[in-house]
Amino acid sequence: MSVPPGLVLLASPARRDALLAWVRRHRALLAPFALRLTADLAEPLQLEVSTADLRLEMAGTLEAGGDISLAAAVLAQEVMAVVAFLDPAAPVGSPPELPMLLRACQVRDVPLLLNEASATLALRGLSRGRLATLIFNPVAGQRDPNQDLAQIRSILEPQLQVHLCLTQPDLDPAEQARALLGPLRARQARRPDSALMIACGGDGTVSAVAGALLDSGLPLGVIPRGTANAFAGALGIPTDLPGACRTVLAGHIQRMDAALCNDTPMVLLAGVGFEAGMVDRATRELKNRLGPLAYVLAGAQQLVNQQPFQAHLEIDGKAISLQASAITVANAAPGTSVLAQGFGRVIADDGLLEVTIATSTDRLQGLQALASLAASAVVQTPAQHGDLLCLRARRITIATATPQKLVVDGEMLEGDRFCFECLPGSLRVLAPWPLP
């Protein structure tokens, strides 16, 4: 489960009233944060009208080990700072224990604030700075994730308050992102562009997080660590970690389109036929061994096995039936996404989807069509080939005579009817100006 960025609040019994009074005085500054605290502190705040709207994440009482649970939250990197009003006259070993808090905060490099003056100073700094939730996929790409994460934080954290969320094998990154939106949007409402979300991983992670941010108003930062890094390539975002981090810090926000495919968010492209087969063959094991060459090998294998299929298309209300070997619907794509290059380039902010249809029926025709698309990408002019049909549209429906595989932003689906709709300007991205 993803936990919003927040603060831990702890107090010795003798200092409990002092901490509660501090919370009441600074309620407005505390409102954007999730407050993780023991039950004996949370209960009176819940009962008061002035503080009832604060977001409280309750642990157990001090007597039941609530301070231990909160120290564990520090170690799990779920909080940005710890405010602990402790009684210096309390016997050694009385909860909350200072040595335990010191150790947890030292291990995770989390600020520990032990009096009202330091807590107030830190809170003012936190409320005025930019807050960034970093959704980091540790299994993406081929580099050491710990070294990469340390480098990213060393570049970002002097200017951003970074809250880390690691992706999990059994969780959808989009759901993790949606669970973390509340505090970010609250901060954004108080101070525009003071909050953002950063996706760090491959195109699957980036697309999932981007889909969760559609029409949220929150900017998306991208730090690519994947194999293809098509999203970064499409928007001109550097693919090296320092360059991508500097792009995030520069703060240039660009509006780009997104799309829905059968009501599922899509920010890159979808492919029926050849594209889907190629991506399906490029397994994680193959990408780990060969890197980007995995797609070249998978493409060669798919070219041998690709079978044409019958399709009926409705394009902005106009119908057409044909036999195709590949249909690609692109919202954004770099030149390396060859099957999207019917027009020579994909425009990410024109309010339209680029559709490229290959009608090749044999291997030689398929190779010639691919060569024509590759050449179009190089010179950025429309492809000139008899087996290619290229168009731009706001809405498109593809119905196939038999079920086909469909790849949407790297995710595999299967069906016989796929509906696409462009969502103009629905995503704000931290990217160089202007968009490619």
Side-chain angles (χ1 to χ4, degrees), residues 13-32:
R15 300 281 291 148
R16 175 184 158 210
D17 290 343
L19 181 56
L20 290 173
W22 179 81
V23 171
R24 296 183 190 105
R25 280 195 298 274
H26 298 289
R27 186 201 64 77
L29 294 180
L30 290 167

Side-chain angles (χ1 to χ4, degrees), residues 7-365:
L7 307 175
V8 160
L9 304 182
L10 281 167
S12 302
R15 300 281 291 148
R16 175 184 158 210
D17 290 343
L19 181 56
L20 290 173
W22 179 81
V23 171
R24 296 183 190 105
R25 280 195 298 274
H26 298 289
R27 186 201 64 77
L29 294 180
L30 290 167
F33 298 97
L35 305 180
R36 300 172 66 89
L37 66 177
T38 55
D40 43 319
L41 286 170
E43 288 170 358
L45 295 175
Q46 290 174 325
L47 294 175
E48 294 182 29
V49 175
S50 63
T51 54
D53 60 338
L54 292 175
R55 178 163 185 167
L56 307 179
E57 305 284 343
M58 200 183 314
T61 63
L62 276 180
E63 291 75 11
D67 57 330
I68 300 174
S69 298
L70 295 177
V74 175
L75 292 173
Q77 297 179 297
E78 296 173 355
V79 297
M80 302 171 60
V82 176
V83 177
F85 284 17
L86 305 183
D87 179 9
V92 175
S94 300
E97 295 187 46
L98 180 58
M100 177 181 65
L101 292 175
L102 280 172
R103 177 65 175 151
C105 291
Q106 183 178 21
V107 168
R108 291 305 185 196
D109 197 24
V110 172
L112 175 58
L113 312 165
L114 296 175
N115 58 36
E116 182 172 342
S118 62
T120 301
L121 185 64
L123 179 59
R124 288 173 179 168
L126 288 173
S127 63
R128 291 172 184 166
R130 283 199 297 164
L131 175 62
T133 292
L134 172 63
I135 298 184
F136 183 87
N137 185 348
V139 303
Q142 299 170 286
R143 298 190 296 260
D144 185 308
N146 294 320
Q147 290 182 2
D148 283 0
L149 182 56
Q151 182 181 19
I152 291 167
R153 299 191 76 156
S154 70
I155 298 172
L156 296 181
E157 288 189 328
Q159 298 185 48
L160 296 176
Q161 303 159 26
V162 177
H163 168 249
L164 176 65
C165 174
L166 299 178
T167 62
Q168 304 292 331
D170 56 342
L171 293 177
D172 180 356
E175 292 300 322
Q176 290 182 284
R178 278 189 279 269
L180 296 165
L181 282 178
L184 295 177
R185 296 187 75 170
R187 176 178 285 242
Q188 184 85 337
R190 292 177 63 244
R191 291 180 55 236
D193 295 330
S194 63
L196 63 144
M197 189 170 284
I198 303 171
C200 183
D203 286 318
T205 302
V206 172
S207 297
V209 175
L213 294 184
L214 295 185
D215 291 322
S216 70
L218 286 170
L220 169 69
V222 177
I223 301 176
R225 288 189 66 251
T227 303
N229 297 320
F231 189 93
L235 300 187
I237 296 171
T239 55
D240 64 291
L241 294 186
C245 290
R246 286 193 293 270
T247 299
V248 170
L249 293 176
H252 298 306
I253 298 175
Q254 314 297 340
R255 282 274 184 186
M256 67 170 287
D257 305 333
L260 294 178
C261 172
N262 289 2
D263 296 325
T264 297
M266 180 185 92
V267 296
L268 281 168
L269 55 84
V272 183
F274 181 87
E275 175 99 11
M278 178 184 68
V279 173
D280 196 28
R281 290 176 182 274
T283 62
R284 166 52 55 189
E285 180 183 0
L286 195 62
K287 289 188 284 188
N288 286 341
R289 282 172 35 213
L290 301 179
L293 289 177
Y295 290 105
V296 177
L297 177 59
Q301 294 172 333
Q302 185 61 28
L303 188 62
V304 173
N305 293 277
Q306 180 62 46
Q307 297 296 319
F309 55 91
Q310 195 68 28
H312 179 79
L313 287 75
E314 294 181 10
I315 305 162
D316 284 343
K318 298 180 181 179
I320 181 175
S321 294
L322 46 74
Q323 190 177 54
S325 57
I327 302 175
T328 302
V329 180
N331 175 67
T336 50
S337 297
V338 175
L339 290 175
Q341 304 304 320
F343 286 96
R345 61 188 289 256
V346 179
I347 304 172
D349 57 354
D350 63 348
L352 297 170
L353 301 171
E354 276 84 351
V355 184
T356 304
I357 303 168
T359 59
S360 312
T361 57
D362 61 46
R363 206 173 307 163
L364 178 59
Q365 290 176 328

